[in-house]
């Protein structure tokens, strides 16, 4: 309601207007439903996760969503930064829910091992779920270096997979 009211009061009439482009919109393509935001296009996950939450959409939430969708479209991770309690994790979870994608929130600590993270990464890669690593900065530096290599390997696999789809390899 608030978004529709804002678009009306600001006389947004063209689909090229940034105020329209910055909204998360859904379109039916020939084979999928896609969510579009700014220049990003993400396939709807078709995972029913319940009724969307009543998250208050603020300018910060909008920027967070635009950053996340843009990063995912480019096969990158996203690391929203800000003070504790500003809704970074909730914004990520709500965006995943809106895109029909399961989101696992993993609270990191000093006890996180490479084996634990490998298990998490294998699960999300097999299911297509999102992994939200809360308190990521608490992981020991030795473990972080291995995790960085694992993330690089996943990104490489995603990039190769999307190149194969563009070439028609399925």
């Amino acid at each position: 309601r608030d978004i529709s009211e804002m678009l009306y009061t600001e006389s947004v009439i063209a689909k090229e207007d940034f105020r329209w482009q910055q909204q998360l919109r859904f379109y039916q393509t020939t084979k999928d439903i896609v969510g579009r935001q700014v220049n990003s296009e993400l396939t709807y996950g078709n995972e029913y996760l319940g009724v969307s939450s009543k998250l208050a959409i603020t300018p910060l939430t909008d920027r967070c969503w635009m950053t996340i969708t843009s990063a995912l479209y480019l096969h990158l991770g996203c690391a929203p930064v800000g003070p504790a309690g500003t809704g970074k994790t909730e914004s990520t979870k709500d965006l995943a829910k809106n895109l029909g994608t399961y989101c696992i929130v993993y609270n990191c600590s000093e006890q996180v091992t490479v084996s634990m993270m490998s298990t998490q990464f294998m699960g999300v890669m097999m299911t297509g779920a999102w992994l939200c690593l809360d308190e990521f900065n608490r992981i020991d530096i030795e473990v972080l270096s291995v995790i960085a290599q694992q993330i690089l390997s996943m990104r490489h696999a995603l990039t190769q997979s999307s190149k194969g789809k563009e070439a028609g390899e399925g």
Side-chain angles (χ1 to χ4, degrees):
R1 183 195 77 204
D2 295 339
I3 292 169
S4 297
E5 185 177 310
M6 178 274 300
L7 292 170
Y8 176 75
T9 57
E10 295 186 19
S11 302
V12 175
I13 57 172
K15 67 179 184 176
E16 293 81 17
D17 193 310
F18 182 74
R19 290 165 296 186
W20 171 252
Q21 292 289 323
Q22 78 182 47
Q23 305 305 319
L24 182 61
R25 312 164 319 278
F26 293 92
Y27 296 92
Q28 175 76 47
T29 65
T30 54
K31 62 179 186 171
D32 290 318
I33 296 174
V34 294
R36 293 184 183 149
Q37 188 172 32
V38 190
N39 293 333
S40 307
E41 184 174 290
L42 301 171
T43 304
Y44 184 76
N46 296 314
E47 183 80 30
Y48 179 69
L49 301 166
V51 179
S52 292
S53 66
K54 303 287 188 232
L55 183 69
I57 305 299
T58 65
L60 184 60
T61 309
D62 281 339
R63 286 192 298 270
C64 188
W65 280 23
M66 283 187 280
T67 302
I68 294 170
T69 55
S70 297
L72 291 174
Y73 181 68
L74 297 170
H75 303 296
L76 298 169
C78 185
V81 178
T86 55
K88 298 176 295 293
T89 300
E90 290 304 315
S91 294
T92 303
K93 286 172 34 183
D94 200 54
L95 176 60
K97 194 176 216 180
N98 278 291
L99 288 169
T101 303
Y102 189 63
C103 181
I104 300 164
V105 178
Y106 189 78
N107 199 2
C108 301
S109 69
E110 297 84 11
Q111 288 79 32
V112 170
T113 65
V114 171
S115 175
M116 293 165 74
M117 291 307 297
S118 295
T119 303
Q120 288 289 334
F121 290 149
M122 282 190 288
V124 296
M125 289 299 286
M126 283 190 231
T127 62
W130 290 4
L131 182 61
C132 181
L133 300 170
D134 223 2
E135 303 295 336
F136 191 66
N137 58 321
R138 294 186 182 202
I139 299 174
D140 289 332
I141 191 74
E142 296 82 16
V143 177
L144 276 176
S145 65
V146 178
I147 291 172
Q149 187 61 46
Q150 291 171 330
I151 291 172
L152 181 64
S153 297
M154 289 185 293
R155 183 183 185 281
H156 181 68
L158 285 169
T159 304
Q160 293 301 327
S161 173
S162 70
K163 285 181 184 174
K165 286 182 183 176
E166 289 172 9
E169 296 173 13

